[in-house]
Amino acid sequence: MNFERRHLTDNQLLDLYKRLLKPRLIEEKMLILIRQGKVSKWFSGIGQEAISVGVTAVLDPDEYILPMHRNLGVFTGRDIPLYRLFSQWQGKASGFTKGRDRSFHFGTQEFKIIGMISHLGPQLGVADGIALANKLKKNGKVTAVFTGEGATSEGDFHEALNIASVWDLPVLFVIENNGYGLSTPTNEQYRCENLADKGVGYGMESHIIDGNNILEVFNELSEIVASMRTNPRPVLLEFKTFRMRGHEEASGTKYVPQELMDLWAEKDPVDTYKRYLIKQNVLTAEQDEEWRDAIKKEIDDNLLIANSEADIVASYEEELNDVYKPYQFEEVEPSGEKENIRLIDAISSSLRQSMQKHENLVIMGQDIAEYGGAFKITDGFVAEFGKERVINTPICESAVVAAGMGLSINGYKAIVEMQFADFVSTGFNPIVNYLAKVHYRWQENADVVVRMPCGGGTQAGPFHSQTNEAWFTKTPGLKVVYPAFPYDAKGLLNTSINDPNPVLFFEHKMLYRSVYQEVPQDYYTLPLGKAALLKEGKDITIIAFGAAVHWALEALEKNPQISADLIDLRTLQPLDKDTIYASVKKTNKAIILQEDSMFGGIASDISAMIMEDCFEYLDGPVKRVASLDSPIPFTKALEDQYLAKGRFEQALLDLLKY
């Protein structure tokens, strides 16, 4: 291995050695503890330390790093107290996740480290969002994100690199090519000779670096990062290295030819660098032994602190309270003149006034800039707010949602517009596994609103007509809003943008231009989790949301003899149980109308809650009316048959007769 010190002083050379030595000695201790059953699982980075150490060493302490589970050198390089790492690995309170996640699945704003989730790809898009925030701040900061050669096969890798290239984001994409994805060798993972070759396809600068040579890593990256700070752009780095242990310790390495293990053992980044320093008379054997003893003592002392810490005591209250970031609703009363506008106008007004109110608010979506979006909701926004804050995106929902998460991490608010709610399926993973879980896992909030144009009635067929709220009401950590009227849409969207938690905001396309209402011209807010009682009666409770509210109103207009409470839920998560229960206890009958298909819809949960909590008040079964359990069809006759609208009136009359 050819070490070139270039301009580095002796002290810098020794500092890099100490940075290498610390994670290696911690790992060696962990391997002992795992054999003793004192650590449950371990993902070893032995043999790859030079990459983590080198990347961390060239970045400023306030520059974000997004490591993976083999990057211990990132955490030690940021000087995290070891007892906190040990407590994290043992599920103790002094860790970073309150025992809710293990190993390196955590982040910490204090040390500007954003940990991975097991779905490897989304963190690449999160890095894009962090870098976008840095670019908006014009602070010259660089973001580094790690991935393995295996994860480069994921769509998130392609999406994140494409976005970073198109937007000129200062992201250092670090591929640790260690030869195997668990047991699958690289020749079964990709066909190009080098993963760095992929950079050409993205119009991106790329480099191949010896990942076991700490001086090559440090020197090359020092120049690259300095250049990125003055000329913001993404850079793809492929580090050639090898994983000397199994994917995790239980896996072993029997699938690796012994001659390959022997070859890479000769390239050990710690041992080879140590021999170089001794040969250059920069390090002595005595000095090395002294440092090793000091680090081992630090490890033992910190293990003692972690081991002496009490185990976490489970608490229902604390677990449930941490699912969402606490948010105190700020009521802004409507004032000034009103105007008779459509639902689509109310949403546009909310977005415009929220952009004026929050200078750190960014809207991202397909065709939303000069074109104004598929429904023209953001028409004129570029002229008022600029393309830095109203951003056209490539067609890559997953990375865009993840970028919204990155913006939130780095101090911004994000709105992501799905062109149609149906398309959220390709951005599903970061919503349900990153945004929804991030506060529960390590107390980070996801200040992201995902706007969802949805619903049938326009003969748009199976891929442009779904009302898929039930995909998200099932997932703890998300808030789900679904207004039926312009007044509610504006006030609830304003609140959703203010709320630091992730919100799925459903906008029914059929209502966009068909429903008018008097709406205040000024900014105002409405609370989430509070239903609206549109009509009051004594015979039955009707519960609905979205377009179904209007279907219920039509049925009641046709049947003026029916005395009913009509509840417009407005928000599905949080759900206003109090209003539902109070009405059911008064009327003694309940019918729930939803546009979504029956099985697994939110009507099923509401029905179950009423049966469990209001059973003694009921004079009949709780009735659900929903669309067919089939995909939504295109032709009008088939769509009319599919939708619940045509079956509601008879179901309502039948229940009243029960």
Side-chain angles (χ1 to χ4, degrees), residues 73 76 143 254 321 350 356 473 499 613 632:
T76 57
T143 302
K254 290 183 180 179
N321 285 346
S350 167
Q356 294 166 350
T473 53
D499 194 317
D613 298 331
I632 181 168

Side-chain angles (χ1 to χ4, degrees), residues 201-220:
Y202 302 105
M204 185 182 298
E205 175 185 340
S206 64
H207 303 268
I208 298 173
I209 298 175
D210 183 349
N212 284 37
N213 185 329
I214 183 60
L215 294 189
E216 183 174 335
V217 174
F218 182 81
N219 287 323
E220 292 294 325

Side-chain angles (χ1 to χ4, degrees), residues 320-326 439-440 475-479 501-502 573:
L320 295 174
N321 285 346
D322 278 353
V323 173
Y324 298 95
K325 179 173 182 175
H439 189 266
Y440 172 78
T475 305
L478 300 176
K479 296 188 178 183
N501 294 287
Q573 184 61 263

Side-chain angles (χ1 to χ4, degrees), residues 419-495:
Q419 199 164 74
F420 293 89
D422 313 69
F423 299 165
V424 77
S425 56
T426 58
F428 191 72
N429 179 35
I431 293 175
V432 300
N433 283 313
Y434 210 129
L435 271 62
K437 295 178 172 67
V438 69
H439 189 266
Y440 172 78
R441 289 172 55 241
W442 54 278
Q443 291 76 62
E444 179 68 17
N445 63 286
D447 204 340
V448 182
V449 174
V450 182
R451 291 184 42 243
M452 303 276 282
C454 66
T458 60
Q459 290 80 62
F463 305 118
H464 295 78
S465 307
Q466 295 174 91
T467 173
N468 43 7
E469 68 280 348
W471 295 3
F472 305 103
T473 53
K474 170 69 180 69
T475 305
L478 300 176
K479 296 188 178 183
V480 181
V481 182
Y482 203 145
F485 295 96
Y487 177 84
D488 293 338
K490 181 173 179 178
L492 291 171
L493 183 53
N494 286 336
T495 301

Side-chain angles (χ1 to χ4, degrees), residues 354-391:
S354 291
M355 290 284 280
Q356 294 166 350
K357 176 181 174 64
H358 303 286
E359 293 184 357
N360 65 336
L361 177 59
V362 173
I363 304 178
M364 300 182 290
Q366 296 161 26
D367 304 299
I368 68 164
E370 290 87 349
Y371 186 71
F375 300 99
K376 302 299 181 183
I377 289 177
T378 53
D379 192 23
F381 278 38
V382 167
E384 184 171 353
F385 304 109
K387 291 201 69 171
E388 286 189 332
R389 296 180 62 199
V390 185
I391 305 175

Side-chain angles (χ1 to χ4, degrees), residues 57 141 183 203 236 354 546:
K141 297 298 180 183
S183 68
L236 178 63
S354 291

Side-chain angles (χ1 to χ4, degrees), residues 602-621:
I602 193 171
S604 300
D605 277 286
I606 295 172
S607 174
M609 291 187 314
I610 293 171
M611 291 295 289
E612 289 176 3
D613 298 331
C614 303
F615 180 76
E616 64 270 30
Y617 295 93
L618 293 173
D619 290 338

